[in-house]
Each structure stands twice: as C-alpha cells, then as structure tokens.
C-alpha cells in the first residue's frame, strides 16, 4: 500500500468484538487498514471458518501487523513454547495476509516488577541478570524469531513494555542492533514511551528506517515507580495528560511516513458503540496528522 501516513484501526478499539466486526468497523469508518488480533484470528479458525473463508472475510483490508508474541526473552524449557507460539502466530498472520507480527518484551506480569523478592510462582524472564546479558539473550532469541519470520515474508516489530527491564528506546535499539536482522523494526507507543521516561525529543531523533508502526494512545498522570497499565491507560484518547500533537510531531520529525494505529485501553469506551468510538479516534488521528 503506497499511501503515506495510513490511519489504522487497532483491534483493541472494539476489544470484545470479533474479527468480522473489526473488519467492518475499519471499512465503514474509513480506516486505511486494521492492526489485527492474533486471538481473534485464531477464534475464527477454531470456530470452523476455513482459511479461504477467513481470507474472504478480510478481503482487501490492509493489515500491517497482528499482535502479539509475549515474553520474547524466554530461555531453556520456556523457549520451545516461545517458538511454538511464534510459528502459530506467523501462520495466523499469513492466513489474513498480514505484513508483520508484534513482539513484546517480558516478563509480562506486573506483579514481578512490583515484587521486592523472589516470585517462584511467576515467570521472571531475565530480570535477575545484568542488563548486557538481558540484551544479548533477547537479541539471540529475536535473531532466531526473525529468521523464521523471514521464511513467512513477515516483519517483526518490537514493543518493550514499560515495566520490563528493556523498556527504553535506547535499550530497544541496543537489542535491535545486536540482533542484526533487516526484518526487525521498532514500534513507538506513546504510553510506553511516557511511562519509561522517554520524551518526544528522544523520539524525534530516531532513524525513520527503523520504525514500523506508531501506537497513538493516552495516559493518566504518572508520577514514577512501576506503571500500572490497566489504571493509567483507562482514559479516552485525547482526554489524558499526553500532548498528542507534540508526540505526533516528534515522530513526523524523523521523516516517518508509515502507519499509525489507535490502540485503546479505556474500559468505558470498550462498552460503548465501537463504531462511534472508532469514528472519533479516526477524526482525532486525522487532525493530528493534518489530513
């Protein structure tokens, strides 16, 4: 798709809907595409839709990526499960003609980040290792995942959760540099940047060639510590504390011309008319991008 600055519907706008409804919202509201949910795609196939029926449902909808593969740093016995989940996601991406798959750092559980001691019942990832070892092991996994993704003609786009060890832009860039794979890129999420301590000024210095997608989202006030995602993101986009125009302009200052997706965690919005919520988000993003 050659159009610059595509405005993409995120599957979390209608969190409780089906893939079919997500596609219909994107079409009716006039989005340029859909960042789809791997779980929703899998649910279609598990319910009995054939791959051809799924492709017919999607039609010509542009799908830049699907989410998401978690805890990408998993080692030893956990690594086999990681690779199995990756292969399944890559197959799901292929089933809908997606161009990429989102990969996410761990450990996913907020409780691990909050705990001051051992958490034997919870996955801890590499949290107990020095940062250079975390980067090296994560990059090693990403190298393997990127090679498998390349066999599926897929891009991997990295998002670091802000409560995980490798949370800042600089740390993510170290991982990408050490991975050394052309199909590994960076996703910029305004909320994760904000709660990791990154700023619009830092974003503006990024190499546009490394960027694969932007999550336009908002936040309640964060005063430090471990960010509580369910609480801090429970706000309609545009009604929080982030200066969305400043963040948008920072990305555009890099020369980036790719896609922008409206990820949403507002519980009230998830219970409202998803078509109307999506329409407001599209209008907001159009305004931010001067379209």
């Amino acid at each position: 798709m050659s159009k610059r600055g595509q405005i993409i519907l995120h599957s979390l706008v209608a969190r409780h809907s089906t893939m079919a409804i997500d596609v219909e919202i994107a079409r009716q509201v006039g989005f340029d595409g859909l960042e789809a949910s791997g779980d929703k795609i899998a649910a279609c196939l598990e319910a009995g839709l054939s791959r051809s029926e799924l492709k017919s449902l999607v039609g010509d909808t542009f799908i830049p990526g699907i989410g998401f593969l978690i805890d990408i740093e998993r080692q030893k016995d956990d690594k086999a499960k990681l690779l199995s989940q990756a292969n399944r996601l890559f197959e799901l991406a292929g089933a809908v003609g997606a161009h990429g798959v989102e990969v996410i750092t761990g450990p996913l559980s907020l409780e691990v980040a909050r705990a001051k001691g051992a958490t034997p019942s919870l996955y801890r990832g590499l949290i107990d290792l020095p940062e250079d070892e975390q980067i090296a092991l994560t990059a090693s996994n990403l190298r393997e995942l990127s090679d498998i993704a390349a066999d599926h003609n897929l891009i991997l786009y990295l998002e670091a959760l802000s409560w995980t060890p490798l949370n800042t832009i600089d740390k993510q860039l170290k991982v990408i540099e050490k991975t050394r794979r052309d199909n590994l890129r960076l996703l910029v999420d305004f909320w994760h940047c904000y709660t990791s301590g990154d700023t619009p000024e830092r974003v503006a210095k990024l190499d546009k060639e490394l960027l694969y997608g932007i999550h336009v989202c908002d936040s309640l006030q964060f005063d430090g510590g471990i960010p509580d995602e369910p609480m801090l993101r429970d706000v309609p986009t545009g009604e929080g504390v982030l200066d969305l125009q400043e963040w948008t302009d920072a990305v555009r200052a890099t020369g980036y011309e790719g896609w922008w997706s409206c990820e949403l965690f507002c519980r009230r919005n998830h219970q409202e008319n998803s078509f109307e919520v999506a329409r407001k988000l599209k209008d907001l993003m159009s305004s931010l991008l001067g379209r």
Side-chain angles (χ1 to χ4, degrees), residues 32-50:
D32 297 315
L34 168 69
E35 188 177 6
S37 160
D39 287 343
K40 292 183 183 183
I41 298 167
C44 288
L45 296 172
E46 289 163 6
L49 271 72
S50 66

Side-chain angles (χ1 to χ4, degrees), residues 20-33:
I21 296 299
D22 286 352
V23 169
E24 188 62 22
I25 293 172
R27 287 175 179 162
Q28 283 198 26
V29 179
F31 281 86
D32 297 315

Side-chain angles (χ1 to χ4, degrees), residues 107-256:
L108 184 67
S109 173
L110 274 171
E111 295 309 312
V112 173
R114 290 170 175 154
K116 294 182 179 178
T119 52
S121 63
L122 296 173
Y123 168 74
R124 292 183 62 81
L126 308 177
I127 202 167
D128 300 309
L129 296 179
E131 184 178 297
D132 60 344
E133 291 185 45
Q134 293 181 27
I135 290 170
L137 290 169
T138 301
S140 178
N141 278 11
L142 276 172
R143 198 173 303 120
E144 191 168 348
L145 291 168
S146 297
D147 288 343
I148 300 170
D151 291 337
H152 294 262
N153 296 313
L154 291 168
I155 288 170
L156 296 186
Y157 53 106
L158 175 64
E159 178 177 42
L161 303 179
S162 63
W163 59 89
T164 64
L166 302 179
N167 57 351
T168 64
I169 286 174
D170 287 343
K171 292 175 184 178
Q172 291 173 80
L173 293 182
K174 288 178 181 178
V175 170
I176 290 173
E177 181 180 4
K178 201 168 189 67
T179 302
R180 302 190 309 275
R181 290 296 183 269
D182 292 338
N183 65 327
L184 176 63
R185 309 284 178 77
L186 178 69
L187 177 115
V188 170
D189 179 293
F190 293 170
W191 184 83
H192 285 292
C193 285
Y194 167 63
T195 51
S196 294
D198 281 317
T199 63
E201 290 76 16
R202 178 65 190 90
V203 169
K205 295 176 182 177
L206 284 166
D207 178 356
K208 67 178 181 179
E209 301 302 325
L210 285 175
L211 301 180
Y212 185 67
I214 311 298
H215 281 172
V216 177
C217 44
D218 216 328
S219 183
L220 297 174
Q221 180 66 37
F222 174 57
D223 296 317
I226 305 300
D228 185 332
E229 183 176 40
M231 185 274 288
L232 290 170
R233 301 189 80 166
D234 189 13
V235 58
T237 305
E239 296 182 21
V241 299
L242 298 188
D243 185 334
L244 298 180
Q245 192 65 64
E246 182 182 19
W247 284 92
T248 300
D249 290 346
V251 173
R252 296 181 78 184
T254 68
Y256 173 76

Side-chain angles (χ1 to χ4, degrees), residues 68-74 82 85 102-106 108:
F68 36 78
L69 183 64
I70 65 168
D71 296 335
I72 54 171
E73 68 292 316
R74 279 177 272 178
L82 169 69
Q85 290 172 343
E102 182 178 7
V103 292
I104 295 177
T105 60
L108 184 67

